[in-house]
């Protein structure tokens, strides 16, 4: 009752309401009788579902004058078995298997499926509201009782012995009776043509509608599983075969079907007159394992299939494949290119060469032996440099050294990021012989020790014992020795060069007690700068090598400045 009075207030506010739907049972309670009278007085139709009890007794709304009562039929015009009936029923409408957007509670996926088929006079009554709205939009001057009469007096027959009203509501007949019908009286006669109707795959056919009698909808079936609702569509046939095409043309008066059997013929393209001439290339054709080679087909005369043999037991039918060779070796590659005219084979013997990548090797690049003086005590210092096969420093190499001399022993320590580690012997006051350091082993997680490539294996204060002593550039030293010798850590600033005199090179070293930026400048006897080295190093030994090949023999001075320290010493170059 409150809802009906609310609709009446909407009409009072200027809203156009043709009808309301009442798909519910009723009794005269809550002021319903007065609300119905109020809504009918506002010229709003009340459409009521007759009920689903197969009974002939009406409820309150079914017995209320001015209310339209609606029974239910099936799609074939037979009365629904559940529908109420009787002389009080005004009209019937479809109410069996009606598509609804109400979720079926029996559906397992209620979060997505909001379409279900339902049955009942509750599904029939909304059809009548729809017809009322059509009549209202056609002629807004029609009153509610006039629309009532147009609906019940323009129906089609149903098949049932029970009284389901005047017939099945028919929107077209009601609209025509109201003078609103615009539907042609003649059903379409479907017809069409297509062009071309034959050709090689893929074939695109343009279809043209030739239907007469004003169709307004079209449904095409192209015979290959594709459909269209366009009036003049195109369809691409992607497989060979013969296809029947059907067009269904419709308007509000009806529909017609036109079928042309085996209308479209799609064939293979003609075979070329010449067989392929196989050819190919690959890049790269050599490299370390694993090696990925990109192959390019260069076959002429239109091949359409390819079979590659990569020589390692693998194959491919792709025109331009890529292949990874996982093992070292030399591989012969073959390509068989074909079309319907024949095939040809191209073979390139030993075309791909796959090699093992070089091993990471390492060797002793240099050994520099100096003496550290601390008051009356002396100790020997051995600075070891480890390089790889590309003469680059190897970090984290474990170097084992044997020291001999006034004091000695064995120690092992790891190189720093510059490939350098320094060892220091125990101190002694009796420096009567020179110290020597010999590398006995070098180990690393990824590099292999190649003793044959050592520049030097043993060196003493007087120079190299085993090897040619290639020298080293700037080295920053760190490490942790174990055993009877330990890592060299200076306790004061000191400088020296060895050998002196020299020819053609000498090694200039300093011990830094703290991290410092430093400069080594070399001057000739006239005070002219001839060479300079600069760097920044942590505490420890620093060694540079000066090769004097490009200068004249004679006396030279080297000045070392590091932080607050500055020392100048003399050396002699003898050619």
């Amino acid at each position: 009752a409150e809802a009906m009075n609310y609709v009446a207030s909407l009409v009072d506010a200027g809203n156009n309401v043709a009808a309301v739907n009442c798909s519910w049972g009723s009794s005269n309670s809550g002021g319903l009788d007065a609300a119905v009278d109020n809504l009918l007085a506002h010229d709003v139709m009340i459409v009521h579902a007759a009920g689903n009890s197969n009974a002939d007794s009406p409820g309150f709304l079914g017995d209320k004058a001015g209310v339209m009562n609606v029974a239910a039929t099936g799609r074939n015009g037979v009365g629904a078995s559940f529908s109420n009936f009787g002389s009080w029923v005004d009209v019937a409408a479809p109410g069996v298997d009606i598509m609804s957007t109400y979720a079926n509670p029996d559906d397992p996926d209620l979060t997505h499926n909001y379409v279900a088929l339902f049955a009942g006079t509750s599904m029939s009554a909304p059809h009548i509201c729809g017809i009322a709205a059509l009549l209202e939009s056609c002629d807004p001057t029609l009153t509610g009782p006039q629309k009532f009469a147009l609906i019940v007096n323009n129906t089609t027959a149903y098949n049932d012995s029970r009284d389901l009203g005047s017939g099945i509501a028919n929107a077209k007949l009601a609209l025509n009776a109201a003078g609103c019908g615009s539907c042609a009286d003649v059903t379409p006669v479907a017809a069409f043509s297509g062009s071309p109707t034959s050709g090689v795959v893929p074939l695109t056919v343009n279809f043209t509608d030739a239907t007469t009698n004003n169709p307004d909808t079209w449904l095409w079936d192209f015979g290959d599983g594709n459909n269209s609702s366009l009036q003049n569509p195109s369809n691409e046939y992607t497989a060979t075969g013969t296809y029947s095409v059907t067009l269904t043309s419709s308007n509000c008066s009806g529909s017609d079907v036109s079928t042309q059997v085996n209308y479209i013929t799609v064939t293979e393209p003609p075979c070329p007159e010449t067989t392929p001439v196989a050819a190919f290339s690959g890049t790269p054709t050599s490299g370390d394992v694993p090696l990925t080679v990109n192959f390019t087909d260069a076959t002429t005369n239109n091949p359409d299939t390819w079979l590659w043999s990569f020589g390692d037991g693998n194959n491919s039918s792709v025109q331009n494949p890529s292949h990874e060779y996982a093992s070292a070796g030399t591989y012969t590659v073959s390509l068989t290119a074909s079309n319907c005219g024949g095939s040809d084979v191209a073979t390139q013997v030993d075309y791909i060469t796959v090699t093992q990548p070089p091993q990471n090797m390492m060797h002793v690049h240099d050994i520099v032996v100096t003496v550290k003086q601390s008051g009356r005590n002396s100790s020997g210092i051995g600075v070891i440099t480890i390089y790889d096969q590309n003469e680059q420093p190897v970090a984290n190499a474990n170097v084992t050294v044997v020291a001999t001399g006034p004091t000695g022993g064995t120690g092992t320590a790891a190189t720093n990021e510059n490939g350098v580690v320094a060892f220091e012997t125990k101190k002694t006051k009796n420096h009567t012989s020179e110290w020597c350091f010999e590398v006995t082993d070098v180990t690393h997680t990824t590099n292999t020790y190649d003793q044959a490539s050592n520049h030097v294996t043993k060196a003493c204060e007087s120079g190299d014992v085993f090897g040619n002593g290639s020298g080293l550039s700037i080295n920053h030293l760190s490490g942790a020795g174990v055993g009877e010798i330990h890592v060299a850590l200076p306790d004061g600033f000191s400088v020296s060069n060895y050998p002196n005199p020299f020819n053609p090179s000498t090694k200039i070293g300093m011990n830094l007690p703290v991290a410092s930026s430093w400069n080594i400048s070399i001057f000739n006897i006239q005070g002219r700068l001839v060479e300079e080295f600069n760097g920044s190093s942590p505490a420890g030994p620093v060694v540079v090598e000066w090769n004097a090949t490009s200068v004249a023999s004679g006396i030279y001075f080297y000045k070392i400045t590091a932080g607050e320290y500055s020392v100048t010493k003399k050396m002699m170059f003898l050619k």
Side-chain angles (χ1 to χ4, degrees):
E2 291 179 1
M4 289 183 177
N5 289 329
Y6 172 72
V7 172
S9 69
L10 293 179
V11 176
D12 290 336
N15 295 284
N16 186 11
V17 182
V20 296
N21 180 69
C22 297
S23 286
W24 40 274
S26 61
S27 61
N28 186 14
S29 60
L32 182 61
D33 187 48
V36 170
D37 291 339
N38 182 35
L39 195 57
L40 293 174
H42 281 77
D43 201 31
V44 177
M45 290 182 64
I46 299 176
V47 181
H48 174 240
N52 304 323
S53 303
N54 189 23
D56 61 356
S57 57
F60 170 71
L61 285 180
D63 204 33
K64 178 71 176 177
V67 175
M68 178 174 284
N69 296 294
V70 185
T73 66
R75 294 174 182 241
N76 56 3
V78 176
S81 61
F82 54 78
S83 180
N84 287 352
F85 59 91
S87 59
W88 52 276
V89 176
D90 298 295
V91 72
V96 178
D97 289 338
I98 303 302
M99 187 71 72
S100 170
T101 56
Y102 179 80
N104 184 345
D106 297 325
D107 194 299
D109 186 5
L110 294 179
T111 61
H112 295 92
N113 298 331
Y114 290 98
V115 176
L117 295 176
F118 286 96
T121 56
S122 292
M123 309 304 293
S124 305
H127 292 308
I128 304 304
C129 285
I131 296 175
L134 288 173
L135 291 168
E136 180 76 19
S137 64
C138 166
D139 185 357
T141 66
L142 291 172
T143 66
Q146 287 174 326
K147 293 193 283 284
F148 193 120
L150 285 167
I151 293 172
V152 299
N153 292 330
N154 295 280
T155 61
T156 55
Y158 55 81
N159 182 12
D160 200 302
S161 61
R162 299 171 298 171
D163 187 353
L164 303 179
S166 62
I168 302 173
N170 188 312
K172 175 180 180 295
L173 294 179
L175 289 168
N176 286 344
C180 302
S182 60
C183 184
D185 292 331
V186 183
T187 302
V189 178
F192 67 89
S193 63
S195 178
T197 58
S198 63
V200 300
V201 66
L203 177 66
T204 298
V205 180
N206 299 310
F207 291 94
T208 302
D209 170 48
T211 303
T212 57
N213 297 339
N214 303 311
D216 54 20
T217 60
W218 300 264
L219 179 60
W220 296 83
D221 181 349
F222 301 119
D224 61 349
N226 293 323
N227 302 280
S228 176
S229 60
L230 298 177
Q231 182 177 8
N232 299 300
S234 295
N235 184 56
E236 181 181 70
Y237 292 89
T238 59
T240 60
T242 302
Y243 302 93
S244 298
V245 180
T246 299
L247 168 63
T248 302
S249 300
S250 306
N251 63 17
C252 57
S253 291
S255 61
D256 187 42
V257 178
S258 175
T259 299
Q260 299 198 48
V261 179
N262 297 334
Y263 187 54
I264 305 297
T265 301
V266 184
T267 58
E268 292 284 357
C271 186
E273 296 180 356
T274 55
T275 59
V277 177
F280 68 90
S281 63
T283 181
T285 57
S286 62
D288 291 336
V289 65
L291 178 66
T292 297
V293 180
N294 299 310
F295 291 95
T296 302
D297 170 48
T299 304
T300 56
N301 295 341
N302 302 311
D304 54 22
T305 60
W306 300 263
L307 179 60
W308 296 82
S309 174
F310 300 119
D312 61 351
N314 293 309
N315 302 281
S316 176
S317 59
V318 177
Q319 183 179 7
N320 299 300
S322 292
H323 179 64
E324 181 182 277
Y325 290 89
S327 300
T330 302
Y331 300 95
T332 296
V333 180
S334 295
L335 168 63
T336 302
S338 307
N339 61 19
C340 58
S343 62
D344 186 41
V345 179
T347 300
Q348 298 199 50
V349 178
D350 296 339
Y351 187 54
I352 304 299
T353 301
V354 184
T355 55
Q356 288 288 350
Q359 287 185 304
N360 293 321
M361 309 299 289
M362 60 183 177
H363 60 271
V364 180
H365 177 75
D366 201 1
I367 303 175
V368 177
V369 181
T370 58
V371 176
K372 177 181 175 182
Q373 198 71 40
S374 299
R376 297 177 59 190
N377 292 319
S378 300
S379 59
I381 295 178
V383 179
I384 317 298
T385 306
I386 306 299
Y387 276 8
D388 63 17
Q389 69 273 17
N390 298 315
E391 294 300 317
Q392 296 298 314
V394 177
N396 300 314
N398 291 306
V399 181
T400 300
V401 172
V402 174
T404 59
T407 57
T410 301
T412 300
T415 58
N416 64 6
E417 68 275 9
N418 299 298
V420 176
V421 62
F423 296 93
E424 182 177 357
T425 69
K426 292 181 179 179
K427 295 180 176 62
T428 181
K429 295 184 174 66
N430 185 20
H431 185 192
T432 58
S433 60
E434 65 176 351
W435 272 287
C436 297
F437 288 80
E438 180 178 359
V439 175
T440 59
D441 194 18
V442 183
T443 61
H444 195 270
T445 56
T446 59
N447 291 57
T448 301
Y449 181 33
D450 181 13
Q451 298 186 55
S453 297
N454 284 352
H455 293 187
V456 58
T457 302
K458 179 178 181 181
C460 300
E461 297 175 53
S462 58
D464 295 343
V465 177
F466 307 137
N468 55 19
S470 298
L472 47 80
S473 58
I474 301 171
N475 294 310
H476 304 161
L477 310 179
S478 67
V482 294
E484 298 170 312
I485 58 176
H486 57 275
V487 67
L489 294 176
D491 52 13
F493 179 75
S494 61
V495 299
S496 63
N497 77 289
Y498 181 85
N500 187 19
F502 63 91
N503 179 21
S505 62
T506 186
K507 295 169 185 174
I508 304 171
M510 72 185 91
N511 286 316
L512 298 177
V514 295
S516 304
S517 297
W518 49 264
N519 171 268
I520 300 176
S521 298
I522 300 173
F523 303 90
N524 61 17
I525 194 67
Q526 287 82 27
R528 181 179 301 165
L529 180 67
V530 296
E531 187 72 82
E532 186 175 25
F533 302 93
N534 291 283
S536 181
S537 303
V542 177
V543 179
V544 300
E545 181 177 15
W546 179 46
N547 191 314
T549 304
S550 61
V551 300
S553 61
I555 295 175
Y556 290 85
F557 299 90
Y558 61 93
K559 180 180 180 181
I560 297 179
T561 302
E564 62 182 7
Y565 304 103
S566 181
V567 175
T568 301
K569 287 194 174 185
K570 182 173 65 174
M571 56 186 172
M572 181 174 291
F573 173 33
L574 297 177
K575 285 189 177 180

